[in-house]
Amino acid sequence: MDGTSASLQRHNAAQRSAHIREVVLAKGVELRERYPILKHQDALGAGILALALIGMIGSAALYISGHMAWWVCLLLNAFFASLTHELEHDLIHSMYFRKQRVPHNLMMGLVWLARPSTINPWIRRHLHLNHHKVSGTETDMEERAITNGEPWGFARLLMVGDNVMSAFIRMLRAKTWAHKSSIIKRTLKVYAPLALVHWGAWYVFLGFHAANGVAYLLGAPIEWSATTLSVMQVIDIAAVVIIGPNVLRTFCLHFISSNMHYYGDVELGNVLQQCQVLNPWWLWPLQAFCFNFGSSHGIHHFVVKEPFYIRQMTVPVAHKVMREMGVRFNDFGTFGRANRFVRRDEIAVAGEAVEA
């Protein structure tokens, strides 16, 4: 492809992206005129956060008091925590209390407490804003951290739902001690203190119950000390009310996000190539715990400053115009291409055709 053709293609892609943006923004304006409550963005953000936190605390209280099954509490809190993820994402883009730093930072702190498995949100802000600038390229650290571009296999399965395991595997793969040391330092910095406590408790939970299971099968029960049992009672409760819900939410979000974003052969700045819409019926069990991310997040790449609830309301209109403008829908081939936009052999064939 010569320079003129490439320039024309980039111009065409920019025009199509602008058209999507125009249609979606117009729908947002229409929704706000039809439902004036939507104009109170700060209040809505604070209200949704209050709802999510009350929901998490309420279901935890019901479980601890014996009025709710453990699995119901875990699923409910995973859903409520997914709301706080959407709020954090909106806060990163300064959509709530933009000019009022105290309530803005208070909300940032509270959504972090609701999701202690995640990195420091103030650090994530820099990573995420960079993600929008360089989405799908090697310098898109946010998506690479959640396995975007990683070939599918057992390693990716471990990495996609466990932030610390992901960092550990990357550290093992590093070829020099300097690189290994850099990964360790960066991991400790971004995950301190909440995520280190969260994932540490998760490993203790898994290890304790795995040891008991093996001991039971061998017919030699372990005689744990009273102190160990009292500590594990606390961790067992935490596993149901906060740790388990966030492990589930993390897996669902990272699985959807890492496979709806493209990586490696994306043209810098071409929004049409950055995401697909990933919303088949069989992914609904995962979508339920990442607030329909696969269906709605692609819209965000075109219209960055709309809060998540507006984005959800614009889905029918947005999907129609996105499809018309060439955005991909349910491109399952991405699982076999390690999230490349085009298969490597197709790139090679195209290159040979150009040379011919």
Side-chain angles (χ1 to χ4, degrees):
M1 183 184 297
D2 60 31
T4 302
S5 297
S7 178
L8 286 172
Q9 284 200 3
R10 284 194 293 271
H11 179 68
N12 179 260
Q15 285 186 316
R16 285 184 286 157
S17 296
H19 179 63
I20 294 171
R21 192 174 303 113
E22 181 182 355
V23 171
V24 174
L25 282 171
K27 184 61 179 178
V29 171
E30 177 193 324
L31 287 167
R32 288 179 174 89
E33 292 302 318
R34 188 187 308 172
Y35 308 108
I37 191 175
L38 296 176
K39 296 179 181 180
H40 300 282
Q41 197 159 297
D42 291 347
L44 285 171
I48 293 168
L49 176 56
L51 172 68
L53 294 178
I54 291 170
M56 292 183 77
I57 293 169
S59 61
L62 289 172
Y63 162 69
I64 292 170
S65 64
H67 293 90
M68 179 180 285
W70 69 267
W71 60 271
V72 176
C73 177
L74 190 150
L75 294 179
L76 279 175
N77 279 6
F79 171 76
F80 286 127
S82 74
L83 289 176
T84 67
H85 169 265
E86 294 297 326
L87 288 171
E88 182 199 72
H89 176 258
D90 287 355
L91 285 161
I92 282 171
H93 287 284
S94 300
M95 294 188 204
Y96 310 117
F97 301 103
R98 182 184 183 89
K99 297 181 180 180
Q100 297 171 271
R101 304 318 298 169
V102 172
H104 176 87
N105 287 314
L106 177 61
M107 285 187 70
M108 286 277 272
L110 289 173
V111 297
W112 191 18
L113 287 173
R115 297 154 35 263
S117 59
T118 62
I119 71 172
N120 181 317
W122 288 274
I123 293 176
R124 188 196 167 208
R125 169 173 276 145
H126 300 290
L127 294 173
H128 185 71
L129 295 181
N130 181 68
H131 160 66
H132 279 278
K133 294 177 182 177
V134 297
S135 183
T137 68
E138 189 175 349
T139 51
D140 183 1
M141 298 302 295
E142 183 178 60
E143 279 300 318
R144 288 181 60 203
I146 64 169
T147 73
N148 187 230
E150 181 86 13
W152 266 104
F154 184 64
R156 181 165 180 175
L157 188 63
L158 286 177
M159 295 164 75
V160 78
D162 187 330
N163 301 10
V164 173
M165 180 62 69
S166 179
F168 178 69
I169 290 174
R170 293 180 194 281
M171 186 271 293
L172 292 179
R173 290 174 175 173
K175 296 180 179 179
T176 66
W177 173 247
H179 190 195
K180 292 179 187 291
S181 178
S182 174
I183 292 172
I184 293 170
K185 290 177 181 177
R186 185 168 64 246
T187 300
L188 292 175
K189 177 182 177 181
V190 301
Y191 286 118
L194 297 185
L196 298 180
V197 174
H198 173 280
W199 291 107
W202 175 241
Y203 299 144
V204 169
F205 172 81
L206 293 178
F208 177 82
H209 290 288
N212 278 343
V214 171
Y216 174 80
L217 292 174
L218 295 176
I222 301 172
E223 296 293 332
W224 300 103
S225 69
T227 301
T228 299
L229 292 175
S230 63
V231 169
M232 285 311 305
Q233 184 178 19
V234 174
I235 291 179
D236 284 347
I237 292 172
V240 173
V241 303
I242 190 71
I243 300 173
N246 273 294
V247 171
L248 173 61
R249 182 198 62 78
T250 297
F251 178 85
C252 294
L253 175 66
H254 289 183
F255 183 91
I256 295 289
S257 181
S258 67
N259 288 296
M260 68 166 294
H261 287 87
Y262 290 106
Y263 172 81
D265 56 354
V266 174
E267 183 182 51
L268 184 63
N270 188 344
V271 185
L272 294 171
Q273 294 183 359
Q274 291 175 1
C275 297
Q276 63 164 312
V277 174
L278 193 60
N279 63 349
W281 66 267
W282 47 270
L283 280 180
W284 264 107
L286 277 69
Q287 302 271 32
F289 302 111
C290 59
F291 213 77
N292 202 27
F293 194 88
S295 181
S296 65
H297 182 71
I299 304 169
H300 171 67
H301 275 243
F302 293 97
V303 182
V304 175
K305 289 296 187 179
E306 290 284 40
F308 77 98
Y309 50 87
I310 295 285
R311 191 160 62 245
Q312 292 289 339
M313 296 172 75
T314 62
V315 159
V317 168
H319 282 187
K320 182 176 183 295
V321 69
M322 288 166 73
R323 194 185 296 274
E324 291 170 350
M325 294 298 106
V327 174
R328 292 181 183 176
F329 280 67
N330 297 325
D331 170 22
F332 305 130
T334 187
F335 292 97
R337 300 193 304 265
N339 309 125
R340 267 57 181 182
F341 192 73
V342 182
R343 290 182 63 90
R344 293 183 186 277
D345 53 359
E346 292 175 1
I347 295 173
V349 170
E352 292 169 5
V354 170
E355 290 175 5

